[in-house]
Amino acid sequence: AAALYLLREDEEACYLFICNTGEDLREVEFNQGTHISRRTLAFPEVIIRGNGACKGAPLELDPATGEVWTTTSKKTAGGWEIRTSLPALGSRLFVIPKKRNVKAPARRLMTDTRAIALNPRAWSFTRTEPNVLVLDRPRYRFNGRRWQPADEILRVDTAARQAMSLPPRGGAMKQPWAREKSASPKRLKVELTYTFKVSALPAGSLHLALERPDAMRITVNGTPVAATPVGWWTDRSLHTVLLDPALLCRGRNEILLTVDYDEEHPGLESAFLLGDFGVRVDGTATTLTTLPAALKLGDWVPQGLPFYAGTIRYRTTVHRPRMRKKDRLLLRAPSYAGTAVRVLVDGCPAGIIAWEPNEVDITDLFTNSTAEVAIEVIGHRRNSHGPLHLTDLFPQWVGPAQFITTGDAWSDDYRLVPCGLLKAPELVVRR
């Protein structure tokens, strides 16, 4: 079945949790799952029977708010019969007391009276992080020999290890900190040249995030840069090095990393240029552009943020709709691509949207005739950290093997997943 449950019991009550996976198991291949975007199976009417030994009427709990309600239920010869529903990816939590209990308030039945789409021509937005240009396809050479064509960095790492007669990195290898140190480790001078274009010079600070800056030398368009860490980005292993934006020029630009590679080195990984700029991707070619001043509804990837890995806060000013005294006002985000959505009204958090019905009550925060509504699409690291060249955008799972695929499973071009507000959010008046 598409629904899973967990039943627990103690001296006072039985506790039943039910969740809907949203999967239509008739369409799922053996040992294969369905991507969450396609888990849309819902159950408008669900009947739960059992717990005959419990005398108290079943209660439903909302873990997000702490509210407790009575359920639509009745006692039968076989036990309790609870009537409920399970939206796609929805869940229910019930408590069935063993003793007769004081009746909880009934859940209010409310009806949507109006839905007002929030769809300005363009949304003002702010980022929680700098924008990102991924550097993962360098030209390379070893020990000053001939330059090799650009290739993905993990493949370059494998070639470097082969040049030192070392096995490639893999799941069976010891991690660097667990290896016995060699008295005379093999060494290799690795030069990596990353090329990109600039159509608009970036404004503000510019950083390069990379692992082991202590084991390399950095030049930007031929000018040496001090490889001194000034901070870190996303993980403490990714150190940030300050770059002077004046080192960049319109047209073709190069960043050269000269790595002192030996068998104790943890391995070559992607580098990341961070700053206030836009990015355009064309196959394997990348260009720094002007950072967009506003965003349209839909995927933010083609709007100058293809590798962006943080959160985007969409902002707009909203007029309070006409409402009766007992009406409630909700903000609904019917379709988004990200890990979750956070809603704020005039800077005050209203709640998190992470599952159906994708809405949050904003009544008590909307105290004036107008308010700034902010809708934060909480991002993820998929488009910055990968896998970036896996043909399948939505694999069943991601492990080391998904970063080093071959054949039809590999794409030299970047494979990026959509992110952002995909459809217009709505103000919903509920009576």
Side-chain angles (χ1 to χ4, degrees):
L4 305 175
Y5 78 93
L6 175 65
L7 179 63
R8 298 215 169 182
E9 180 180 3
D10 61 19
E11 295 179 355
E12 297 180 355
C14 290
Y15 309 88
L16 177 64
F17 175 74
I18 300 177
C19 67
N20 176 18
T21 67
E23 289 189 287
D24 188 340
L25 300 183
R26 295 168 298 180
E27 300 179 3
V28 178
E29 298 180 11
F30 176 72
N31 203 31
Q32 296 291 319
T34 305
H35 186 262
I36 193 168
S37 64
R38 298 192 290 270
R39 296 188 185 188
T40 57
L41 194 63
F43 301 95
E45 186 175 12
V46 175
I47 300 174
I48 303 165
R49 297 187 178 96
N51 300 106
C54 295
K55 297 180 180 180
L59 303 173
E60 182 174 355
L61 279 64
D62 186 341
T65 65
E67 294 180 273
V68 181
W69 311 288
T70 57
T71 59
T72 303
S73 57
K74 64 180 180 179
K75 193 73 182 286
T76 67
W80 284 102
E81 181 179 284
I82 304 171
R83 290 181 175 269
T84 185
S85 62
L86 279 174
L89 303 176
S91 61
R92 303 288 183 193
L93 177 60
F94 300 102
V95 176
I96 307 97
K98 292 188 175 179
K99 298 179 180 180
R100 295 189 184 279
N101 54 307
V102 177
K103 199 169 186 180
R107 192 171 194 171
R108 290 179 296 174
L109 298 177
M110 305 190 76
T111 304
D112 293 355
T113 61
R114 271 181 296 163
I116 305 163
L118 304 181
N119 194 12
R121 285 186 177 180
W123 289 77
S124 299
F125 76 99
T126 52
R127 295 166 288 120
T128 58
E129 298 183 5
N131 200 11
V132 186
L133 172 64
V134 173
L135 303 173
D136 74 331
R137 286 184 52 81
R139 292 188 303 120
Y140 65 97
R141 67 177 179 178
F142 304 144
N143 289 335
R145 300 188 186 113
R146 180 180 300 177
W147 284 99
Q148 301 301 313
D151 205 351
E152 196 273 335
I153 189 64
L154 295 182
R155 296 183 173 192
V156 176
D157 182 77
T158 296
R161 297 182 67 82
Q162 288 175 344
M164 292 191 292
S165 300
L166 296 174
R169 292 156 62 193
M173 66 181 288
K174 284 186 178 181
Q175 292 298 323
W177 56 84
R179 300 177 199 152
E180 294 181 3
K181 302 296 183 183
S182 172
S184 55
K186 298 176 181 178
R187 299 184 182 278
L188 188 70
K189 178 184 176 183
V190 178
E191 293 172 274
L192 308 171
T193 295
Y194 297 93
T195 302
F196 56 93
K197 291 182 180 179
V198 174
S199 64
L201 294 172
S205 61
L206 198 64
H207 290 84
L208 184 65
L210 67 177
E211 296 187 22
R212 293 293 309 273
D214 59 302
M216 65 178 63
R217 293 173 295 285
I218 305 170
T219 63
V220 177
N221 290 330
T223 300
V225 173
T228 305
V230 295
W232 56 274
W233 176 70
T234 73
D235 187 273
R236 291 185 182 276
S237 66
L238 270 176
H239 304 277
T240 54
V241 172
L242 186 64
L243 301 183
D244 183 353
L247 294 176
L248 300 185
C249 61
R250 295 181 184 274
R252 186 175 182 274
N253 289 255
E254 283 191 352
I255 294 179
L256 170 64
L257 305 181
T258 303
V259 183
D260 299 322
Y261 197 113
D262 62 31
E263 56 187 294
E264 309 297 343
H265 196 285
L268 303 175
E269 297 284 354
S270 299
F272 306 88
L273 190 64
L274 310 174
D276 292 328
F277 47 72
V279 177
R280 184 173 64 246
V281 175
D282 183 10
T284 60
T286 55
T287 303
L288 295 193
T289 64
T290 303
L291 186 69
L295 289 177
K296 296 180 181 179
L297 282 179
D299 187 5
W300 72 45
V301 166
Q303 299 185 64
L305 302 165
F307 303 116
Y308 181 68
T311 292
I312 291 288
R313 178 180 290 188
Y314 295 78
R315 305 190 316 273
T316 189
T317 299
V318 174
H319 295 276
R320 182 183 178 93
R322 288 186 177 182
M323 297 169 55
R324 294 183 180 182
K325 187 174 182 180
K326 292 187 178 180
D327 287 353
R328 306 300 293 178
L329 185 63
L330 297 94
L331 189 288
R332 179 186 295 154
S335 182
Y336 65 90
T339 57
V341 166
R342 189 169 79 126
V343 178
L344 302 97
V345 178
D346 287 332
C348 298
I352 297 284
I353 293 172
W355 49 76
E356 294 285 351
N358 288 329
E359 60 191 25
V360 64
D361 193 320
I362 63 172
T363 312
D364 298 335
L365 295 177
F366 209 132
T367 55
N368 299 315
S369 59
T370 62
E372 183 189 74
V373 172
I375 304 168
E376 287 186 351
V377 176
I378 301 172
H380 47 67
R381 306 297 173 187
R382 171 65 186 277
N383 284 348
S384 60
H385 289 64
L388 294 175
H389 301 280
L390 180 66
T391 304
D392 185 358
L393 281 181
F394 302 111
Q396 281 305 118
W397 70 294
V398 173
Q402 278 63 48
F403 290 79
I404 53 173
T405 52
T406 58
D408 292 341
W410 176 266
S411 168
D412 283 337
D413 293 353
Y414 292 103
R415 299 283 292 160
L416 305 170
V417 300
C419 293
L421 278 178
L422 303 184
K423 292 184 179 178
E426 299 172 332
L427 280 182
V428 178
V429 178
R430 185 162 292 168
R431 183 163 300 159

